Amino acid sequence: MARFYITTPIYYVNAAPHLGTFYTTVVADALARYHRTQGDETFFVTGLDEHGQKIERIARARGMEPQAYCDEIAATFAEAWKIAEISNDDFIRTTSLRHQTAAAEMWARMHAAGDIYAADYDGMYCVGCEDWKSEDDVVVEAGEKICPIHRRPVERVKEKNYFFRLSNFADRLLALYETPGFIRPESRRNEVASFVRGGLKDISVSRMKKSVNWGIAVPGDPDHVIYVWIDALINYLTVLGGPDAVAHGGIEQATWRTAHHLIAKDILRFHAVYWPALLMSAGLPMPAGVFCHGYLTVKGQKISKSMPATRVDPQAIASDLGVEPLRYFVLREYTLGGDGDFTYEALLQRYESDLGNDLGNLLNRTVSMAHRFQGGHVEAYEPTDADASEEVVKIGRSWVIRTAGANWKEFSPAQALEACWKLIREANRYIDAKKPWELGKNPQRATGPGSLNAVLAICGEALRTTARLIAPAMPGTARKILHQLGRPEAEADSWPTDGEFAWPGGRMETPEPLFPRLDPDKKAGLIAKWLPTEPTGGDPSTIATTARTTPATAVGSPPAATSSSTIAATAGPGTNAADALVDKADFDRVDLRAARVVACERVPKTDKLLKLTLDIGSEQRTVISGIAAAFAPETLLGRTVMYVANLKPAKIRGVVSQGMILTAGD
């Protein structure tokens, strides 16, 4: 029997779940559900990282003990994952006794290998990241060294720590990266290999208890606690019984060797550099690999618990729309491995088009016509040679089963679902072509090829196949489809057999809309309700449809305006709004084009400027833009922007800026 072990990161308890944690967890859940349909011995783990200086400070600020605070947040995660239909087999908390035991075992194994030693640390630390920072990791603003992720000053730390001899593992790590598929996608493997080739320094793996009290004590030295990130990584072994259990072989080690760590790119270094080195030191085998997905952004900004404007509450959406449309959206909309920008409009568009017009419509038409013309009964039917040329039969009989399965195996949920929707769309086209409502006018109930029963049976089997294929993504919807088809809901737990496409016969249930239509007022009301409170106010519908980033300046021109009042305000002292207006002839002179960002980097020695290379179709151009405070360079790669192509070039910091990109603010 094959094994499959999938993990999410254990989420930091500095805030409740948000869309980013929902995304990672739903992807892991869908992968686990797929492997269960294959009969694989599947183990799916998520949980919480509860130690560290940040948690200690948050709890004290709220007048709580750290453990009580962690218990409170843990309850919100448990409820969120229940609502999201997460099927995890274990839920690990780093404050648990079993984890403290596992962490002590891991420390002892590394210490015995001679890879732990004491030394003085003098450097920078970001409490937000719970990570040590080098000069290359920070930016300087107003004379202060700032973490570019949390936009807060780093702290200077000088204390005696225990260190791990990471520098000894460079060659072994590089050899590991040659293992096919150990780090995916390939671009992340190259990134990690480049980091290691640049030289590894030993890392601090403890904090003095007088600085950080909330953590697991270092074995044999109660004056120190294990560095929170080292503590956290060990969780993947804790759930299998700990490092010693895994080292001894058996089921624990067999399961561990199939472990896939699903993570976001901001923690790639911890999982692809530090973690394998720690395992090597402890004498433990490697997991199957690390799959690194991109960021979900809101208005171009990485979702952050500390930035209310990027807050998207999955539970609020689920309470109004249902959780399954949101599960489908994050799995279908974004290619796993790349970045993606979230908008409520895109979510509702998928709801209406994919779920309502395609899937919901196919189910409703099929079941309704079965009741209208045949009393709900659709007799058993296996497509004959006469049906074999129909696209819906060709796709449903084999292609979609193989294609969707291959994509789930390769961690490609978006492509797996797209294959399913090809079957759904073909089934809808089949109905339009065969016109069963015309066949239903014939009182003779023939059952052969081309009959009304044959058409309804083929559509019923297409829906039955679809339900079983989409069950990893939308388990509740799969069961509802099967129920309306009169089939056992438990069929959702098994994958269709390749080559078998035959309706088994039976009576269909009363049709009920799966995804009720939303009128424009309802959609606008939902968006307004879901939007986070913006400190600048404004019309919610305008913010939802036009806001992409915080106000930013395109270098060489005035700030990009977001409203007529802003235009008037930037026109200059003594200028009224009417004087700032332009006529159509002026506007016609502006050459606006859609351009794709093919490269982006920070301008050295500046805090606000980015250098972008734009592909405008006929050529590539360079633009300097003052949006570094709103966008990390990597979040812009591959995105399409609006570009003023005929703006007079300007030389900025020694670089000729050939135009301007347009941005909007809140």
Side-chain angles (χ1 to χ4, degrees), residues 81-113:
W81 297 156
K82 180 180 178 181
I83 292 171
E85 302 170 342
I86 303 304
S87 63
N88 52 294
D89 299 292
D90 202 338
F91 187 87
I92 179 66
R93 296 178 60 184
T94 57
T95 53
S96 65
L97 178 60
R98 62 172 175 162
H99 182 68
Q100 294 174 33
T101 301
E105 289 177 6
M106 190 71 171
W107 186 278
R109 297 179 74 90
M110 295 187 296
H111 189 272

Short mmCIF file of all heavy atoms in Angstrom, two decimals, residues 81-113:
data_model
loop_
_atom_site.label_atom_id
_atom_site.label_comp_id
_atom_site.label_asym_id
_atom_site.label_seq_id
_atom_site.Cartn_x
_atom_site.Cartn_y
_atom_site.Cartn_z
N TRP A 81 -11.14 25.52 10.89
CA TRP A 81 -10.88 24.34 10.05
C TRP A 81 -12.08 23.40 10.01
O TRP A 81 -12.29 22.70 9.02
CB TRP A 81 -9.64 23.60 10.54
CG TRP A 81 -8.37 24.38 10.45
CD1 TRP A 81 -7.25 24.17 11.20
CD2 TRP A 81 -8.06 25.49 9.59
NE1 TRP A 81 -6.27 25.08 10.86
CE2 TRP A 81 -6.74 25.89 9.88
CE3 TRP A 81 -8.76 26.19 8.62
CZ2 TRP A 81 -6.11 26.95 9.22
CZ3 TRP A 81 -8.15 27.27 7.96
CH2 TRP A 81 -6.85 27.62 8.26
N LYS A 82 -12.91 23.43 11.03
CA LYS A 82 -14.16 22.66 10.98
C LYS A 82 -15.09 23.24 9.92
O LYS A 82 -15.67 22.51 9.11
CB LYS A 82 -14.83 22.68 12.35
CG LYS A 82 -16.14 21.91 12.42
CD LYS A 82 -16.75 21.98 13.81
CE LYS A 82 -18.09 21.26 13.87
NZ LYS A 82 -18.69 21.34 15.23
N ILE A 83 -15.21 24.56 9.90
CA ILE A 83 -16.06 25.23 8.91
C ILE A 83 -15.52 24.99 7.50
O ILE A 83 -16.28 24.80 6.55
CB ILE A 83 -16.14 26.73 9.22
CG1 ILE A 83 -16.92 26.95 10.52
CG2 ILE A 83 -16.79 27.51 8.07
CD1 ILE A 83 -16.86 28.38 11.02
N ALA A 84 -14.19 24.99 7.35
CA ALA A 84 -13.56 24.84 6.04
C ALA A 84 -13.50 23.39 5.56
O ALA A 84 -12.96 23.12 4.50
CB ALA A 84 -12.15 25.43 6.07
N GLU A 85 -14.05 22.45 6.34
CA GLU A 85 -14.10 21.03 5.98
C GLU A 85 -12.71 20.41 5.88
O GLU A 85 -12.44 19.57 5.02
CB GLU A 85 -14.86 20.83 4.67
CG GLU A 85 -16.29 21.38 4.70
CD GLU A 85 -16.95 21.40 3.34
OE1 GLU A 85 -16.25 21.31 2.32
OE2 GLU A 85 -18.18 21.49 3.29
N ILE A 86 -11.81 20.84 6.76
CA ILE A 86 -10.45 20.32 6.74
C ILE A 86 -10.41 18.95 7.41
O ILE A 86 -10.91 18.78 8.53
CB ILE A 86 -9.49 21.30 7.45
CG1 ILE A 86 -9.57 22.69 6.79
CG2 ILE A 86 -8.06 20.76 7.42
CD1 ILE A 86 -9.31 22.71 5.31
N SER A 87 -9.81 17.98 6.74
CA SER A 87 -9.85 16.58 7.18
C SER A 87 -8.53 16.12 7.78
O SER A 87 -8.10 14.98 7.57
CB SER A 87 -10.22 15.68 5.99
OG SER A 87 -9.22 15.75 4.99
N ASN A 88 -7.88 17.00 8.55
CA ASN A 88 -6.57 16.65 9.10
C ASN A 88 -6.67 15.46 10.05
O ASN A 88 -7.65 15.30 10.78
CB ASN A 88 -5.94 17.84 9.81
CG ASN A 88 -6.86 18.48 10.83
OD1 ASN A 88 -7.89 19.05 10.47
ND2 ASN A 88 -6.50 18.38 12.11
N ASP A 89 -5.62 14.63 10.03
CA ASP A 89 -5.56 13.46 10.90
C ASP A 89 -4.96 13.78 12.26
O ASP A 89 -5.14 13.01 13.21
CB ASP A 89 -4.74 12.36 10.23
CG ASP A 89 -5.36 11.91 8.92
OD1 ASP A 89 -6.44 11.31 8.96
OD2 ASP A 89 -4.78 12.20 7.85
N ASP A 90 -4.22 14.89 12.34
CA ASP A 90 -3.63 15.29 13.62
C ASP A 90 -3.56 16.82 13.64
O ASP A 90 -3.52 17.47 12.58
CB ASP A 90 -2.23 14.69 13.79
CG ASP A 90 -1.80 14.61 15.26
OD1 ASP A 90 -2.35 15.36 16.09
OD2 ASP A 90 -0.91 13.79 15.58
N PHE A 91 -3.56 17.35 14.85
CA PHE A 91 -3.44 18.80 15.04
C PHE A 91 -2.40 19.00 16.13
O PHE A 91 -2.63 18.73 17.30
CB PHE A 91 -4.79 19.40 15.46
CG PHE A 91 -4.81 20.90 15.51
CD1 PHE A 91 -5.11 21.64 14.37
CD2 PHE A 91 -4.55 21.58 16.68
CE1 PHE A 91 -5.13 23.02 14.41
CE2 PHE A 91 -4.56 22.96 16.73
CZ PHE A 91 -4.86 23.69 15.59
N ILE A 92 -1.23 19.48 15.72
CA ILE A 92 -0.10 19.58 16.64
C ILE A 92 -0.03 20.99 17.23
O ILE A 92 -0.21 21.98 16.52
CB ILE A 92 1.22 19.21 15.94
CG1 ILE A 92 2.41 19.35 16.89
CG2 ILE A 92 1.43 20.05 14.69
CD1 ILE A 92 2.40 18.36 18.03
N ARG A 93 0.22 21.06 18.53
CA ARG A 93 0.49 22.34 19.20
C ARG A 93 1.85 22.23 19.87
O ARG A 93 2.14 21.25 20.57
CB ARG A 93 -0.59 22.65 20.23
CG ARG A 93 -1.97 22.85 19.64
CD ARG A 93 -3.01 23.12 20.72
NE ARG A 93 -2.69 24.31 21.49
CZ ARG A 93 -3.39 24.73 22.55
NH1 ARG A 93 -4.44 24.03 22.96
NH2 ARG A 93 -3.04 25.83 23.19
N THR A 94 2.70 23.23 19.67
CA THR A 94 4.07 23.13 20.18
C THR A 94 4.14 23.29 21.69
O THR A 94 5.21 23.09 22.27
CB THR A 94 4.99 24.16 19.50
OG1 THR A 94 4.47 25.47 19.70
CG2 THR A 94 5.12 23.88 18.01
N THR A 95 3.03 23.66 22.33
CA THR A 95 3.02 23.72 23.79
C THR A 95 2.66 22.37 24.42
O THR A 95 2.64 22.25 25.64
CB THR A 95 2.02 24.78 24.28
OG1 THR A 95 0.74 24.53 23.69
CG2 THR A 95 2.49 26.18 23.92
N SER A 96 2.38 21.37 23.59
CA SER A 96 1.99 20.07 24.13
C SER A 96 3.19 19.33 24.70
O SER A 96 4.34 19.54 24.29
CB SER A 96 1.35 19.22 23.04
OG SER A 96 2.29 18.91 22.03
N LEU A 97 2.93 18.44 25.65
CA LEU A 97 4.00 17.67 26.28
C LEU A 97 4.71 16.78 25.27
O LEU A 97 5.94 16.65 25.30
CB LEU A 97 3.42 16.82 27.42
CG LEU A 97 4.43 15.91 28.15
CD1 LEU A 97 5.54 16.75 28.78
CD2 LEU A 97 3.71 15.08 29.23
N ARG A 98 3.94 16.17 24.35
CA ARG A 98 4.58 15.28 23.37
C ARG A 98 5.58 16.04 22.50
O ARG A 98 6.59 15.49 22.08
CB ARG A 98 3.54 14.58 22.50
CG ARG A 98 2.67 15.50 21.66
CD ARG A 98 1.80 14.73 20.68
NE ARG A 98 0.88 15.60 19.96
CZ ARG A 98 0.26 15.25 18.84
NH1 ARG A 98 0.48 14.06 18.30
NH2 ARG A 98 -0.57 16.07 18.25
N HIS A 99 5.28 17.32 22.21
CA HIS A 99 6.21 18.09 21.38
C HIS A 99 7.45 18.49 22.18
O HIS A 99 8.56 18.49 21.63
CB HIS A 99 5.54 19.34 20.82
CG HIS A 99 6.44 20.13 19.93
ND1 HIS A 99 6.88 19.66 18.71
CD2 HIS A 99 7.06 21.33 20.11
CE1 HIS A 99 7.70 20.54 18.16
NE2 HIS A 99 7.82 21.57 18.99
N GLN A 100 7.28 18.84 23.43
CA GLN A 100 8.44 19.17 24.26
C GLN A 100 9.39 17.97 24.35
O GLN A 100 10.62 18.13 24.29
CB GLN A 100 7.97 19.59 25.66
CG GLN A 100 7.17 20.89 25.67
CD GLN A 100 6.59 21.20 27.04
OE1 GLN A 100 7.18 20.87 28.07
NE2 GLN A 100 5.42 21.81 27.05
N THR A 101 8.82 16.78 24.46
CA THR A 101 9.64 15.56 24.49
C THR A 101 10.39 15.37 23.17
O THR A 101 11.58 15.05 23.15
CB THR A 101 8.74 14.34 24.77
OG1 THR A 101 8.07 14.52 26.02
CG2 THR A 101 9.57 13.07 24.80
N ALA A 102 9.67 15.58 22.05
CA ALA A 102 10.30 15.42 20.73
C ALA A 102 11.41 16.45 20.52
O ALA A 102 12.47 16.12 19.96
CB ALA A 102 9.25 15.54 19.64
N ALA A 103 11.18 17.69 20.95
CA ALA A 103 12.20 18.73 20.79
C ALA A 103 13.45 18.39 21.59
O ALA A 103 14.59 18.60 21.13
CB ALA A 103 11.62 20.08 21.23
N ALA A 104 13.26 17.86 22.79
CA ALA A 104 14.41 17.47 23.62
C ALA A 104 15.19 16.33 22.95
O ALA A 104 16.43 16.31 22.97
CB ALA A 104 13.93 17.06 25.01
N GLU A 105 14.48 15.38 22.36
CA GLU A 105 15.14 14.27 21.65
C GLU A 105 15.97 14.81 20.48
O GLU A 105 17.11 14.38 20.26
CB GLU A 105 14.10 13.29 21.12
CG GLU A 105 13.41 12.45 22.17
CD GLU A 105 12.34 11.54 21.58
OE1 GLU A 105 12.22 11.50 20.33
OE2 GLU A 105 11.63 10.89 22.35
N MET A 106 15.39 15.73 19.72
CA MET A 106 16.08 16.27 18.55
C MET A 106 17.34 17.02 18.97
O MET A 106 18.41 16.87 18.36
CB MET A 106 15.13 17.20 17.78
CG MET A 106 15.65 17.64 16.44
SD MET A 106 15.64 16.27 15.25
CE MET A 106 16.04 17.16 13.73
N TRP A 107 17.21 17.83 20.03
CA TRP A 107 18.37 18.59 20.53
C TRP A 107 19.48 17.63 20.96
O TRP A 107 20.65 17.85 20.63
CB TRP A 107 17.94 19.48 21.68
CG TRP A 107 19.02 20.39 22.18
CD1 TRP A 107 20.03 20.09 23.04
CD2 TRP A 107 19.21 21.76 21.80
NE1 TRP A 107 20.84 21.18 23.24
CE2 TRP A 107 20.35 22.22 22.49
CE3 TRP A 107 18.52 22.63 20.97
CZ2 TRP A 107 20.81 23.53 22.37
CZ3 TRP A 107 18.98 23.94 20.85
CH2 TRP A 107 20.11 24.38 21.54
N ALA A 108 19.09 16.58 21.66
CA ALA A 108 20.09 15.62 22.16
C ALA A 108 20.81 14.94 21.01
O ALA A 108 22.04 14.72 21.07
CB ALA A 108 19.40 14.59 23.05
N ARG A 109 20.11 14.61 19.94
CA ARG A 109 20.73 13.94 18.80
C ARG A 109 21.72 14.88 18.11
O ARG A 109 22.81 14.46 17.70
CB ARG A 109 19.66 13.46 17.82
CG ARG A 109 18.71 12.41 18.41
CD ARG A 109 17.66 11.97 17.40
NE ARG A 109 18.24 11.10 16.38
CZ ARG A 109 18.31 9.78 16.48
NH1 ARG A 109 17.83 9.17 17.55
NH2 ARG A 109 18.85 9.05 15.52
N MET A 110 21.36 16.15 17.94
CA MET A 110 22.27 17.10 17.28
C MET A 110 23.46 17.42 18.17
O MET A 110 24.59 17.58 17.68
CB MET A 110 21.51 18.38 16.92
CG MET A 110 20.41 18.16 15.89
SD MET A 110 19.65 19.70 15.30
CE MET A 110 18.90 20.32 16.81
N HIS A 111 23.23 17.52 19.47
CA HIS A 111 24.32 17.79 20.40
C HIS A 111 25.31 16.63 20.42
O HIS A 111 26.54 16.83 20.42
CB HIS A 111 23.76 18.05 21.80
CG HIS A 111 24.77 18.55 22.78
ND1 HIS A 111 25.56 17.70 23.54
CD2 HIS A 111 25.15 19.82 23.11
CE1 HIS A 111 26.37 18.41 24.30
NE2 HIS A 111 26.14 19.71 24.07
N ALA A 112 24.78 15.41 20.41
CA ALA A 112 25.65 14.23 20.41
C ALA A 112 26.49 14.16 19.14
O ALA A 112 27.61 13.62 19.15
CB ALA A 112 24.80 12.97 20.56
N ALA A 113 25.97 14.70 18.03
CA ALA A 113 26.71 14.70 16.77
C ALA A 113 27.79 15.77 16.73
O ALA A 113 28.57 15.84 15.77
CB ALA A 113 25.74 14.91 15.61
#
